[in-house]
Amino acid sequence: MDVEIIAYRYGLQPPLDWGDDIEAAMQRQVDLWNRLVEIEREYRVGVREIVASEANLELIQAERVEVLQDLRQLIDQRSATRSKARRRTTTPDLDSCIAATRKRLQEVTERAKAARAAAYTRLRLQLRELEDKRVKRVKEARQAAAAGGLWWGNYNAVIDSYEVAR
């Protein structure tokens, strides 16, 4: 008994019926994606503004930037010392300063993390309101895309990709 096996491989040739309608549908998907990205950027800016209103966080962040600059200067100084000698030289004084600065950076980072968590807890209602506004805007963008002729399977795929990307 002879058996014929057929294997299909898709995508080897360009589509036969690719027209302006398909280009328009793809452009509607791109437009929806761009609108969702715009909504997400505005949302993140809003979150940063709300959280930045906490004075404690601002002071800790300024301290962290200062410690990072100190660390960068010490590392650059050690590199310059080694570069002058054209070999790896021992720099115990700089090494101990770098270690102390790294420890200070770790402490400041932990404080900043705790302060951020506390701020998010205190600002929970404002952040929730902002999230609800974002969800509403995403829904409106999806509805506008549907009203503009975007097929539900395509806008759902874009929305799903957006949620994964978030």
Side-chain angles (χ1 to χ4, degrees):
M1 179 174 192
D2 291 337
V3 176
E4 184 178 336
I5 298 174
I6 299 173
Y8 294 99
R9 296 192 63 184
Y10 296 98
L12 297 177
Q13 296 180 351
L16 300 175
D17 56 353
W18 193 273
D20 291 338
D21 57 335
I22 295 173
E23 288 289 335
M26 290 183 70
Q27 186 59 49
R28 286 190 289 272
Q29 282 182 281
V30 169
D31 293 342
L32 174 59
W33 177 262
N34 290 341
R35 181 69 185 124
L36 294 173
V37 169
E38 180 183 312
I39 290 169
E40 184 64 23
R41 285 183 180 159
E42 290 171 5
Y43 168 74
R44 290 183 185 203
V45 165
V47 168
R48 282 190 214 106
E49 287 175 355
I50 290 172
V51 174
S53 66
E54 292 286 310
N56 189 25
L57 277 178
E58 198 171 302
L59 293 174
I60 292 173
Q61 187 61 28
E63 183 181 354
R64 187 173 183 277
V65 168
E66 182 181 316
V67 172
L68 279 169
Q69 288 173 348
D70 292 347
L71 181 61
R72 174 54 40 207
Q73 287 175 352
L74 288 169
I75 291 172
D76 289 345
Q77 187 178 355
R78 182 176 64 184
S79 295
T81 302
R82 289 178 176 171
S83 179
K84 278 183 184 176
R86 292 184 163 234
R87 63 186 167 90
R88 188 173 183 135
T89 59
T90 57
T91 53
D93 54 339
L94 284 175
D95 290 342
S96 63
C97 287
I98 289 172
T101 305
R102 282 188 174 146
K103 185 172 178 139
R104 203 169 103 216
L105 176 63
Q106 184 179 8
E107 291 168 357
V108 170
T109 302
E110 287 172 6
R111 277 190 322 178
K113 187 176 179 181
R116 240 187 334 274
Y120 276 98
T121 301
R122 276 192 306 277
L123 301 169
R124 183 178 70 247
L125 294 177
Q126 290 175 336
L127 293 170
R128 184 70 216 166
E129 184 179 306
L130 190 64
E131 172 67 11
D132 291 343
K133 188 175 170 183
R134 182 198 66 81
V135 169
K136 181 181 176 194
R137 292 179 66 201
V138 167
K139 182 178 179 181
E140 289 169 353
R142 181 186 52 78
Q143 289 172 341
L150 187 59
W151 183 58
W152 67 268
N154 291 344
Y155 68 67
N156 281 343
V158 173
I159 296 289
D160 290 345
S161 295
Y162 163 73
E163 291 298 332
V164 168
R166 287 193 77 234

